[in-house]
Amino acid sequence: MVLVFILLSILIILLTFFFLILLSTIRIKIQNFSITNRKEEKLDTNYAIILSLYLGNKIKWISIHLNNKRLRKAYSKMQLEKIDLKKLEKDFRWEDLKVIKRLHPKIANLKLNMQVGLESPVVTAFAVTSLSSIISILLPRVATNRKQENDEYTIVPIYQNKNLYEIQFNCIIEVKMVHIINVISSFLKKGRSDLNERTTSHRRSYGYSYE
């Protein structure tokens, strides 16, 4: 009897926790984020990313504070510099970007200052123009309830015939957890359907072959 009571209590706690998450909104606050590969530049290292869950956008019940030290440790473990860009480009699909709109994100207080330089001045100019166009096109389509008067973003070219970048970023992003769960669910279903298609095509190719 005691065991049943304990199991029932655990089940109630888990269900309560699940519904709290389902009804919550995740708020991602990025403060003074800065990154550069220019050795002569010393940027502000007191940046942080604060992840919080709010009930009704008012009651904060979970908060995780990631400072620059924790983020650097996570970055070193991920070893981003060893990412296979060719494989990433192969797996990437432009239609996957449509899923961002299904998240219905709210973006506020966007402050982006980016400086980009490539080995060729022509490519640098093209990259800066392309990035500016992409940001101006995607922001209105992706983000909802966005106040344009609070948005500031500048992209400046660096003409030094080197691959250089410098990014300073502040932003607040809000997404309802129910939208995140729906998107994850759709991705899982899509992954299973793609796996079934590959398995089916494999069977069709070799199912009727005899030696």
Side-chain angles (χ1 to χ4, degrees):
M1 186 68 180
V2 176
L3 181 60
V4 175
F5 178 77
I6 293 175
L7 292 176
L8 185 60
S9 300
I10 294 174
L11 180 61
I12 292 174
I13 293 173
L14 290 176
L15 288 175
T16 302
F17 185 74
F18 174 76
F19 281 111
L20 282 175
I21 292 178
L22 192 64
L23 298 174
S24 296
T25 297
I26 183 170
R27 181 179 297 175
I28 305 171
K29 187 175 183 180
I30 303 172
Q31 293 181 331
N32 302 321
F33 181 81
S34 57
I35 184 172
T36 183
N37 66 343
R38 303 172 71 177
K39 296 181 180 180
E40 67 276 10
E41 293 289 337
K42 293 184 178 180
L43 300 178
D44 184 11
T45 57
N46 294 321
Y47 55 83
I49 297 178
I50 303 172
L51 306 176
S52 305
L53 285 179
Y54 284 80
L55 281 174
N57 289 330
K58 294 181 179 179
I59 303 174
K60 180 170 65 174
W61 63 287
I62 291 180
S63 182
I64 301 175
H65 190 281
L66 301 174
N67 57 21
N68 55 323
K69 293 182 180 179
R70 293 181 179 178
L71 290 171
R72 285 179 179 176
K73 186 181 294 185
Y75 177 84
S76 61
K77 289 182 178 179
M78 291 172 63
Q79 296 182 339
L80 297 179
E81 66 277 4
K82 296 183 179 180
I83 289 178
D84 190 345
L85 294 178
K86 291 184 178 180
K87 185 178 184 301
L88 184 63
E89 183 179 357
K90 183 179 179 180
D91 296 336
F92 176 78
R93 298 178 181 178
W94 282 104
E95 55 267 24
D96 292 339
L97 288 176
K98 296 179 181 178
V99 75
I100 300 177
K101 191 173 182 179
R102 293 174 55 189
L103 291 173
H104 303 287
K106 296 180 181 179
I107 298 179
N109 300 325
L110 173 63
K111 302 290 186 295
L112 173 63
N113 183 12
M114 181 185 299
Q115 298 183 40
V116 180
L118 300 172
E119 294 182 355
S120 169
V122 176
V123 178
T124 298
F126 177 77
V128 170
T129 304
S130 299
L131 286 172
S132 300
S133 300
I134 291 172
I135 292 175
S136 61
I137 292 173
L138 285 183
L139 269 180
R141 296 189 178 187
V142 170
T144 59
N145 296 337
R146 186 176 61 93
K147 295 182 179 180
Q148 295 184 357
E149 61 270 16
N150 293 334
D151 294 346
E152 297 179 7
Y153 57 90
T154 57
I155 303 178
V156 180
I158 303 175
Y159 296 112
Q160 294 185 13
N161 297 329
K162 295 180 181 179
N163 293 324
L164 300 172
Y165 63 85
E166 180 179 323
I167 302 173
Q168 296 177 336
F169 186 58
N170 287 270
C171 186
I172 297 176
I173 304 172
E174 292 183 357
V175 182
K176 292 184 178 180
M177 289 300 299
V178 64
H179 296 320
I180 296 177
I181 294 173
N182 286 335
V183 168
I184 294 174
S185 177
S186 65
F187 264 115
L188 292 176
K189 291 179 180 178
K190 183 179 178 182
R192 286 197 295 267
S193 64
D194 291 342
L195 180 61
N196 291 334
E197 288 178 1
R198 289 195 296 268
T199 305
T200 304
S201 62
H202 179 75
R203 288 177 179 175
R204 288 177 180 175
S205 301
Y206 301 100
Y208 299 98
S209 62
Y210 298 93
E211 294 183 358

